[in-house]
Amino acid sequence: HKAAQRNAAHAFAMSFWKKKTKGPGTAKQVQQSPPLRVSPSPASPPPVAEKKSPHSSPLPVGKSLVRRSSSFSGSAPGTTSPAGTSPHSNSSVPLSRGPSSPQHTLLCTAECLGNSISSARVACAEVTDELHADSAELARLAKYHTLLDAPVTNLPALRNLCWKGIPLKVRPVAWKLLLGYLPTNADRREETLGRKRREYHDSVLCTYTTERSPTEQSTLEQIHKDLPRTWPNIPLFHQPEIVKIMEHILYIWATRHAASGYVQGLNDVCTPLILIFLSEHIELPYCDLHQLEEFKLEDAQVPAQTWHMVEADCYWCLSKLLDGIQDNYLFSQPGIQKALLNMGQLVAKVDGGLNAHLETQNVVYLQFAFSWINCLLLREIPLPLVIRIWDTYMSEDNCQGFRVLHTYVCAAFLLTFSDTLRKLEFPDLLMFLKHLPTENWNAGAIDVLLSQGYQYQEMFHKTKHLQYQ
């Protein structure tokens, strides 16, 4: 391929040289120029002796210089070979033109032009792909605005559109609608938001001004212990404003749901909601984990009223989300136990070899998959990708994605590493399951994971093949 490129460049240079030369004689000389490989003359005439100056170098050095220059010299265009030599002799050597040769310059120019054209084509292709992606995203965003700006939002159509992921600009409003926090009637949304926010802040004032029982005091102490452990690599969640918001949300929810109370892991569950509803008011790079880790809240200058709105919205949406999976956080945690049993049965049906290997190594699902169900994969997958997973979970009817689809996604998540898990023994196997290599995952990997989980749900859930459904 490279040889073909060089030949093409040489042909282009020669044709360019013919056009630039003036006069028929010169053109004829160019046409008679030797090919790339020519024969050296066996009986070349001796070099012409130069007059030696008093300060010239000795003769041996002069001879070596003459030989070196003659070894790299070729026949000039328009000259004939000496007598007794054939222009097509088999003992040929490559013709090398010096740096000052016009043909050498033209060859380099042609090669540079070829490289520039190739680079320009690649750049144009990349720009074209970006334009196509941008136009597709704009068209998709227009569909969202058509649904959200309608007098009454078509919720089934919105669920169908949100299943494949929600654009950043409309995600806060879409989540509020999908969770049932906002009404579908556009005229009632402002009034509903104002009433809900006032109701929440009244409950905060009432709860924090009354005397606490021993149980409530113990709950608040446990929350204070867990908050410093929340995403230790993201400084945003350790800002005083965010810590205060999380404390209020978790404590109010625990006091209003005495059957479950506060459970470790709920501090992680409320973090995606804080990011999404805070991004409604400030520019927050929550889709890039590295940028999120370097984000400084001090530069945003968030007003106090904004913090009140974000806190109230997070509380009500967290309550809506946990209503469907509250049995995961009861004393005996029946929801998690049932999900783990269904997950084990599913893995046994789909990949019996992996399930048998786990049993041989005395590894039970409770040892590694408990946090998958309890914290909704927030500790196993990067936070921006978990937000993408939640888009799909919320798009399921009645938010059943967190209860039903999540179990099948966890099974698909385990089966993703089946080949590696079969090669590991107990200590390494358990360590690998607790530190799965997902730091380099992207949105494409999440789409595959969700699609696989949805296929398992269609195959096994609706046909009642699992015992503990």
Side-chain angles (χ1 to χ4, degrees):
H1 180 67
K2 291 182 178 180
Q5 286 184 341
R6 287 195 296 269
N7 292 337
H10 177 69
F12 171 80
M14 293 304 298
S15 61
F16 183 82
W17 178 255
K18 291 177 184 179
K19 293 179 182 179
K20 290 296 181 183
T21 53
K22 297 181 181 180
T26 309
K28 184 176 181 181
Q29 290 179 358
V30 172
Q31 293 174 0
Q32 293 177 357
S33 63
L36 286 176
R37 301 183 68 87
V38 297
S39 306
S41 173
S44 57
V48 180
E50 298 179 355
K51 292 183 180 181
K52 294 175 60 178
S53 64
H55 304 286
S56 62
S57 59
L59 183 59
V61 177
K63 286 183 179 180
S64 65
L65 289 173
V66 172
R67 287 173 183 169
R68 188 179 296 113
S69 61
S70 64
S71 63
F72 286 95
S73 63
S75 302
T79 61
T80 59
S81 301
T85 61
S86 171
H88 303 288
S89 174
N90 293 331
S91 59
S92 60
V93 295
L95 174 64
S96 176
R97 298 179 174 87
S100 60
S101 171
Q103 294 183 2
H104 179 272
T105 304
L106 287 172
L107 284 173
C108 294
T109 304
E111 187 174 357
C112 292
L113 285 173
N115 294 336
S116 300
I117 292 173
S118 300
S119 301
R121 287 177 178 173
V122 172
C124 289
E126 292 177 354
V127 171
T128 302
D129 293 341
E130 292 179 0
L131 289 175
H132 284 314
D134 291 342
S135 61
E137 185 66 19
L138 288 174
R140 189 162 171 265
L141 191 60
K143 294 181 181 179
Y144 277 96
H145 284 299
T146 302
L147 288 173
L148 297 176
D149 296 340
V152 178
T153 301
N154 187 343
L155 201 55
L158 181 63
R159 293 186 188 279
N160 185 43
L161 191 60
C162 293
W163 207 96
K164 297 180 180 179
I166 306 174
L168 307 182
K169 295 181 180 180
V170 298
R171 182 173 275 150
V173 178
W175 276 23
K176 292 174 185 178
L177 284 167
L178 294 173
L179 289 170
Y181 175 46
L182 280 183
T184 56
N185 192 325
D187 294 336
R188 295 174 49 207
R189 290 175 189 169
E190 290 298 328
E191 184 270 335
T192 301
L193 281 176
R195 176 170 51 82
K196 286 287 188 180
R197 289 167 178 170
R198 287 191 301 270
E199 181 181 344
Y200 169 75
H201 287 295
D202 290 344
S203 66
V204 171
L205 293 175
C206 180
T207 303
Y208 274 83
T209 54
T210 57
E211 186 177 354
R212 298 187 184 96
S213 66
T215 302
E216 293 174 344
Q217 185 63 34
S218 175
T219 298
L220 190 58
E221 291 175 357
Q222 185 61 49
I223 292 173
H224 287 163
K225 291 179 181 179
D226 288 346
L227 288 180
R229 307 170 188 167
T230 306
W231 294 103
N233 58 327
I234 301 180
L236 175 66
F237 293 117
H238 302 280
Q239 296 293 324
E241 297 86 353
I242 301 293
V243 172
K244 183 179 179 181
I245 284 176
M246 295 177 66
E247 177 196 320
H248 289 174
I249 292 172
L250 296 173
Y251 181 67
I252 298 296
W253 188 89
T255 55
R256 288 192 172 188
H257 298 80
S260 59
Y262 173 75
V263 178
Q264 287 183 336
L266 290 178
N267 56 315
D268 294 322
V269 175
C270 71
T271 53
L273 297 170
I274 292 176
L275 287 180
I276 297 305
F277 297 140
L278 184 58
S279 69
E280 194 175 10
H281 304 279
I282 65 172
E283 239 180 83
L284 190 62
Y286 67 85
C287 285
D288 190 323
L289 187 58
H290 297 291
Q291 294 183 14
L292 185 61
E293 292 173 354
E294 298 174 358
F295 179 77
K296 295 181 179 179
L297 188 62
E298 297 84 0
D299 301 336
Q301 298 180 355
V302 184
Q305 184 62 27
T306 300
W307 287 120
H308 294 326
M309 293 188 292
V310 170
E311 181 179 337
D313 295 345
C314 289
Y315 170 79
W316 289 115
C317 287
L318 179 67
S319 298
K320 294 286 186 180
L321 189 156
L322 295 179
D323 284 347
I325 55 174
Q326 189 174 354
D327 54 353
N328 289 357
Y329 306 104
L330 298 177
F331 177 73
S332 59
Q333 298 175 318
I336 294 180
Q337 299 291 341
K338 177 181 174 181
L340 293 176
L341 290 172
N342 284 335
M343 182 179 170
Q345 290 185 16
L346 177 61
V347 173
K349 290 179 180 293
V350 176
D351 193 342
L354 175 60
N355 188 71
H357 180 68
L358 294 176
E359 291 180 352
T360 303
Q361 298 298 321
N362 296 320
V363 175
V364 295
Y365 289 86
L366 187 64
Q367 291 176 304
F368 62 89
F370 177 85
S371 66
W372 299 7
I373 307 297
N374 187 56
C375 300
L376 302 174
L377 291 175
L378 278 161
R379 297 179 179 177
E380 287 72 32
I381 297 178
L383 181 56
L385 300 181
V386 174
I387 292 175
R388 164 65 190 92
I389 294 176
W390 282 24
D391 289 344
T392 299
Y393 286 177
M394 293 183 189
S395 302
E396 291 287 295
D397 293 337
N398 300 320
C399 287
Q400 288 298 305
F402 294 98
R403 172 188 288 274
V404 180
L405 180 58
H406 181 62
T407 302
Y408 296 94
V409 169
C410 288
F413 185 56
L414 176 64
L415 294 171
T416 302
F417 306 97
S418 176
D419 294 338
T420 304
L421 294 172
R422 294 189 190 197
K423 301 174 184 177
L424 301 176
E425 301 297 329
F426 174 76
D428 297 331
L429 178 61
L430 201 57
M431 185 64 65
F432 183 83
L433 285 169
K434 291 186 177 181
H435 302 87
L436 292 168
T438 60
E439 60 274 3
N440 295 324
W441 277 26
N442 54 22
I446 296 301
D447 290 340
V448 173
L449 180 67
L450 289 170
S451 299
Q452 194 64 54
Y454 181 75
Q455 289 180 9
Y456 292 152
Q457 176 181 269
E458 292 296 304
M459 291 170 59
F460 296 101
H461 183 73
K462 293 185 178 181
T463 54
K464 304 295 182 182
H465 282 176
L466 302 184
Q467 179 180 356
Y468 297 98
Q469 291 179 347

